[in-house]
Amino acid sequence: MEEYELPVLLVNEVGGICGVLEAHVDFLKTHFNLITMKEFLENKNILSKKVQAIYVWWHKPVIDHELLQSLPNLKVIANSGVGMDHLDLKLISGCGIKMANCPHAVSSSTADTGMALLLASARRLVEGCQIAVSLDTECFAPDWLGEEVTGATLGIIGMGNVGYKIALRAKAFEMKILYHNRKQRKEEEEQAIGAIYCKKIEDLLQQSDFVMLAVTLTPQTHKLIGKRELELMKPTAILINISRGLVVDQEALLEALRTGIIKAAALDVTYPEPLPRDHPLLKLKNIIITPHLGIKTHKTTRMITEEAVANLLAALNGLPMPSEVLPD
């Protein structure tokens, strides 16, 4: 085997469904010797001591005890998004390995996706497109109406980087903005976006025309929105989820959409992803489901890789990582 002058970075694969994007490979190779899981497994005896870093793209490779034990010189793992719920942080930290995510790169793109889903669901754009292109359409019904966005009340659950950028966008639509968060934002930050803090999630749910979920998945947010929460919402309200599928009880949501407890939903995330093709949510007309598009732009995916590389190199050089994640 050749000598490795650059640090060795392990990735799942290049291209494919769960591989790093081919467009990013040249950039990665300027800083690392890149090896895939296939190459690693085929040359495990030689490569196991050389791998110093792992780049997790779209939850792959799977970081388990067996892999960690086989990499004695692994120093750092960088994740290609914000959510770390697919990683056992205590296991990784217990092995003396640093971890990082990419919160800065993803926030604008994810906020854009949230607003796109809000607008699409309010104005029934997907249904409208289907009507406009249908061969059976002879005229457009004058009473086929959507909901007004300008001046409506938006409740944001989770006011981190993404939630705050959603509020900035909503302000441009002259929306009244409520938010619920573990911690209240500083007064000057609230004033900048015109947001009102709701200490109780119930108050937000009862008042909002649109409810946007922008939280990380934790034991506390697992099925945060269930039957009780949906019943607190207005029957004209629309739920938008851009966080993680498991933040919403999908069975309760299905029933709420079927029975008119809420008007509609727009989901960029589900569990599992994708849903089984016979899943009843896919048969409803008052729902939009997109394939986890939050970060999927050319610019954002490149920024994610750049942020990940900055974290990896910092850790390997003994410097503070810009986006280090510590176990709770």
Side-chain angles (χ1 to χ4, degrees), residues 121-122 146-148 152-153 205-211 230 232-239 256 260-265:
S121 56
E147 299 300 325
E148 194 80 15
T153 299
L205 293 170
Q206 290 172 334
Q207 298 178 63
S208 299
D209 299 305
F210 301 89
V211 174
L230 290 163
L232 287 172
M233 293 171 63
K234 298 177 181 181
T236 55
I238 296 174
L239 178 71
I261 291 172
I262 65 172
K263 181 170 184 177

Side-chain angles (χ1 to χ4, degrees), residues 113-229:
T113 300
M115 286 305 296
L117 287 172
L118 187 156
L119 291 164
S121 56
R123 301 307 300 271
R124 303 170 68 184
L125 294 187
V126 174
E127 289 179 85
C129 177
Q130 292 169 346
I131 291 170
V133 302
S134 172
L135 298 178
D136 297 326
T137 298
E138 295 180 358
C139 63
F140 297 150
D143 60 348
W144 194 86
L145 306 174
E147 299 300 325
E148 194 80 15
V149 172
T150 300
T153 299
L154 169 62
I156 301 171
I157 300 177
M159 188 60 87
N161 290 338
V162 173
Y164 197 81
K165 289 193 174 183
I166 290 167
L168 285 170
R169 287 151 176 75
K171 183 182 179 183
F173 284 88
E174 301 172 20
M175 300 186 83
K176 178 182 179 181
I177 301 165
L178 309 177
Y179 78 98
H180 173 75
N181 201 44
R182 285 179 299 175
K183 295 181 181 179
Q184 185 172 357
R185 283 273 190 165
K186 296 177 181 178
E187 184 178 353
E188 58 267 28
E189 293 174 334
E190 291 180 337
Q191 290 177 351
I193 54 175
I196 300 170
Y197 179 61
C198 293
K199 186 174 183 179
K200 295 181 179 180
I201 193 172
E202 293 84 357
D203 294 337
L204 178 147
L205 293 170
Q206 290 172 334
Q207 298 178 63
S208 299
D209 299 305
F210 301 89
V211 174
M212 180 86 67
L213 303 176
V215 297
T216 55
L217 179 60
T218 66
Q220 292 72 36
T221 61
H222 182 268
K223 294 191 177 179
L224 178 68
I225 303 298
K227 183 176 185 294
R228 173 181 170 273
E229 289 73 26

Side-chain angles (χ1 to χ4, degrees), residues 251-324:
E251 293 305 312
L253 176 62
L254 175 64
E255 186 64 17
L257 292 170
R258 278 176 169 171
T259 59
I261 291 172
I262 65 172
K263 181 170 184 177
L267 312 176
D268 191 40
V269 287
T270 59
Y271 64 92
E273 291 179 353
L275 290 172
R277 297 299 85 186
D278 61 349
H279 196 285
L281 276 176
L282 301 179
K283 298 177 174 62
L284 299 180
K285 290 186 177 181
N286 56 341
I287 191 169
I288 296 172
I289 301 176
T290 51
H292 208 139
L293 295 176
I295 64 171
K296 290 183 179 178
T297 72
H298 293 289
K299 180 179 179 180
T300 294
T301 53
R302 177 71 180 200
M303 288 169 59
I304 287 169
T305 295
E306 291 172 351
E307 188 170 355
V309 166
N311 280 296
L312 293 169
L313 292 177
L316 294 176
N317 289 303
L319 300 172
M321 291 194 294
S323 309
E324 183 172 6

Side-chain angles (χ1 to χ4, degrees), residues 84 89-90 93 98-100 321 323-328:
M84 304 285 277
L89 303 187
K90 290 183 179 179
S93 177
K98 292 182 176 294
M99 298 167 288
M321 291 194 294
S323 309
E324 183 172 6
V325 174
L326 300 172
D328 292 333

